[in-house]
Amino acid sequence: MTNIKDLAQHCGVAVSTVSRVLNEHPDVSEETRQKVLRAASELHYIPNTSARNLVRTTSDTIALLVKGVNNPFFAKLIKVLEREIAQSGYTLELHQMDTSEDELRIGAQLTNERKLIGILFLGGRFNYSPEELSLIKVPSVFCTYTNSFGTLNAESYSSVAIDDKNAARFAVDTLISRGHRRIAILTDNQDDHSISELRFQGYQDALKRHNIPFDPTLVACTGTFSDMGAIYRATSELIERDRSFTAIFAIADLMAVAAIKALSDHGRRVPEDCSVVAIDGLELSEYLLPTLTTLVQPVEDMGLACANILIELIESRGKHRQVTFETLLREGGSVRRLNE
Amino acid sequence: MTNIKDLAQHCGVAVSTVSRVLNEHPDVSEETRQKVLRAASELHYIPNTSARNLVRTTSDTIALLVKGVNNPFFAKLIKVLEREIAQSGYTLELHQMDTSEDELRIGAQLTNERKLIGILFLGGRFNYSPEELSLIKVPSVFCTYTNSFGTLNAESYSSVAIDDKNAARFAVDTLISRGHRRIAILTDNQDDHSISELRFQGYQDALKRHNIPFDPTLVACTGTFSDMGAIYRATSELIERDRSFTAIFAIADLMAVAAIKALSDHGRRVPEDCSVVAIDGLELSEYLLPTLTTLVQPVEDMGLACANILIELIESRGKHRQVTFETLLREGGSVRRLNE
DNA sequence: GTAATTACTGGAAACGTTTCCAGTAACGTT
DNA sequence: AACGTTACTGGAAACGTTTCCAGTAATTAC
């Protein structure tokens, strides 16, 4: 493998000169510049990243710390993130965390190996104390969830999200405005300080505003966003437990898919016998039968925002900021007006 | 940041001794071992990866070069891959390639930066010459596609795949055995040397074996695996072009989803008016209405195989090998026997 | 009691860069 | 003619490790 020393020798110049050429420093004559460049290409010179990072005491890799990689909503997000990051000359590392508790631990560990210049958190919970957050020593951005529980001040963290509570409220409002009053909810969790809890709160809020009593028997917890079987079973139990509900609010599109199947298997058709509304706006949902009525998250814009905020932080061109995106109701065929 | 020198100084030993302790070399007294370990934890010592990699002239990162990250079949695969790789102490880097032509170029480039010890190729084409392949100077595995076109010998590359041609033939056979003869195909491409072409060949084979003439008007090319809109449009055009087909073979589950929607929008119900069979076996497909009849790829096993082969190559514990997995027909509700 | 082995340790080179500092030559300014 | 500036270049230190080599002390073998 050719290194910078070989180039120097080959050209009859000093290594420092070669380095200057390679790093596009000024103060190097056009003649030597060409000479070095030609040698570099002839000898197939490729810089050694480790050596460079060692002396520069940085790296070029950003870590994506994600819980539930196979969540289809993340797929598009990851696509956008990688593209943006690559375009800015950085590299994306993928790390999976199994529990939300891992996220800070893994983050802190990776940070310390000094091979990271930034972290993107995706799909975890978010109720950190300032002390916990300070374990992360590199710029980071929380994707798809924000500091809705904690006590962090806006100068100390960055996030990109929708207003989950509000979106959930809007989704449930949509059902209520169509005459539904017995509305079940299909959620991952009620109290894990993740978006699940926020959306659950939004559900409760909507009911309260319309003076509809909250009925815990209408809550189906799946404990997962991606395990279709578990979601199906949770819905089935709900159906067997209570036959009075006329609508389901699923906090994610994929949950709605499993729910619709469970309803169908129990002889209840959507939307005739039960309406369904969800949050996500997957492309897929437009191609289901019936098409899903869902609140669309602007996933592309969210990905761009995540990447840009992080890169600005890394290049110290920006300060921490929190971005909240609007969701848009996409009406499909899964909701029906209830006749009195 | 504490480094190995600080530890040495703090303990009153040489850096080499500290290094030995940290790398679990033998030949170091229990006493000093404890002393160093205690100091390391007290001073929050974290090794510098760049320095280590520099002197060892390796790294710990494996690159995943993927075309179409948002392909839902890949989601689960990536999940398994990351877990296996992380468990073996390596790190996974994500790189997206836009065109299949990128794949070798990007691979070669990354290889050369010497920050990579292995590459996983996912979702590209595969018709390389030995010369092209030799550009990649680190162990690599081709996931989900194999050397079905080229001239590589088995000692020079590794791959994990299903027998795409055979699977497609089986899928189409299933339709034929149910009485279908006018069978349309929904494919990404006919001649791009990727799995699309293989599956297309399998389709043609099945027809030939049953003396059903191949009709090009029954071929709908989408040019994509993941853009639902494009798939929908391609199917719509097919429907408007020919109303005689009684079944569709979609080379991927997601294509089948879009196709079923297109059929429905044109007043044709599945399976009553048209049967649909696909390849993939996404979990999702079991929860559609109707459930999809599809050939299941053992995605979990495939992921494990990819990771294991690569890791064995890296640790030079294994030789190149090609693994082909069996697919399994999962009968859903999207196929119906045709009455004569 | 000497030699050979073992157990442990320290010093220093090496990995491939970047960057600081000093230096030379040519040129323009006074 | 002396001086400052500019344009360019080389030497060497530094980044934080690992690993080779040599060396000492203690133990074992004869």
Side-chain angles (χ1 to χ4, degrees), chain A residues 4 16 19 23 45 52 55:
Chain A
I4 208 172
S16 44
S19 176
N23 291 290
Y45 168 76
R52 168 175 296 174
V55 53

Side-chain angles (χ1 to χ4, degrees), chain B residues 81 120 141-143 160 301-311:
Chain B
L81 287 174
L120 291 165
V141 175
F142 290 89
C143 311
V160 171
D301 295 339
M302 291 170 78
L304 288 177
C306 286
N308 289 334
I309 292 176
L310 186 64
I311 290 168

Side-chain angles (χ1 to χ4, degrees), chain A residues 140-208:
Chain A
S140 57
V141 175
F142 291 89
C143 313
T144 74
Y145 47 131
T146 186
N147 180 34
S148 310
F149 305 97
T151 53
L152 304 176
N153 59 353
E155 288 83 35
S156 67
Y157 76 101
S158 284
S159 66
V160 171
I162 58 166
D163 184 338
D164 287 290
K165 197 165 170 177
N166 212 33
R169 191 158 46 208
F170 192 82
V172 177
D173 273 346
T174 305
L175 292 170
I176 295 174
S177 72
R178 304 288 202 286
H180 296 275
R181 312 236 343 141
R182 291 288 292 169
I183 301 169
I185 179 172
L186 194 48
T187 181
D188 172 31
N189 234 304
Q190 299 176 47
D191 50 8
D192 62 346
H193 292 281
S194 74
I195 55 169
S196 312
E197 181 173 346
L198 289 172
R199 294 181 186 178
F200 180 66
Q201 287 177 359
Y203 163 76
Q204 290 185 303
D205 264 29
L207 297 182
K208 194 174 293 168

